Amino acid sequence: MTDNVALRLEAVGRHFKEGEGKLTILDGAEVEVRAGEMIALVAPSGAGKSTLLHIAGLLERPDTGEVYVGGEACGSLGDDRRTQMRRRSIGFVYQFHHLLPEFSAIENVMLPQMILGLGRSDAQLRAQELLDYMRIGKRALHRPAELSGGEQQRVAIARAVANSPHVLLADEPTGNLDPTTAGYVFDALTALVRQSGVAALIATHNHELAARMDRSITIEQGRIVPHRFG
């Protein structure tokens, strides 16, 4: 990866038809996220935050521009290769944990690894290490319904990084948590990012948490610009 850049959006444009005209969501949007860096994406509803994350996560294709993940241009990749890239190189954390309710915490973290072909014992070992790192190792055999909101979200974070991705994308990862629990989960997420070297782009409305990241960006008129607090 050039200069340790794990994710790069270059002149990305995204438009939708609106009646006889078009609605421009992104217009030449550009951002770089380096390994081990945490960037806060702070933007009002309707500004294009979700679209930006979907494009960065290869869930949606831009109309113009390019997306580089781990130095690889992804715009012209076929669907199979894009799916493979998402599984290997990109981790996702959402506002709601989306854990599989019928599986234990450790099994939820094992599954992405086994989908990529890792053996059960090796997947279990790594899953336990991640849960221990997130300080919920003792809850490994509990199902999601038996965990608190903060514990569920820490399991979701462990699952997101289980395959050692280049990029971690998070959409309001503490949005459903009370302030104290949100702070604890954010501390755990920060430690994991620093330790693993994953590049993290985190959408949040929480200005206090955003101010603790390396830098903060927003979307104005379809472009990515620095976000100023206050």
Side-chain angles (χ1 to χ4, degrees), residues 9-15 22-30 47-48 51-52 55 62-65 219-225:
L9 273 61
E10 184 178 276
V12 165
R14 189 72 173 103
H15 317 281
K22 69 176 182 179
L23 175 65
T24 297
I25 304 298
L26 299 174
D27 185 16
E30 298 194 343
T51 298
L52 180 68
I55 290 174
D63 296 309
T64 56
I219 302 171
E220 291 182 0
Q221 297 181 332
R223 292 179 178 267
I224 297 173
V225 298

Side-chain angles (χ1 to χ4, degrees), residues 44-93:
S45 299
K49 180 181 59 179
S50 294
T51 298
L52 180 68
L53 289 175
H54 288 169
I55 290 174
L58 308 184
L59 295 169
E60 192 173 325
R61 294 181 186 269
D63 296 309
T64 56
E66 185 58 280
V67 178
Y68 296 87
V69 176
E72 181 173 352
C74 300
S76 60
L77 296 179
D79 290 341
D80 289 347
R81 177 58 179 156
R82 287 169 69 87
T83 297
Q84 186 181 50
M85 286 286 287
R86 284 195 300 271
R87 289 176 175 171
R88 290 185 178 276
S89 298
I90 303 171
F92 298 91
V93 181

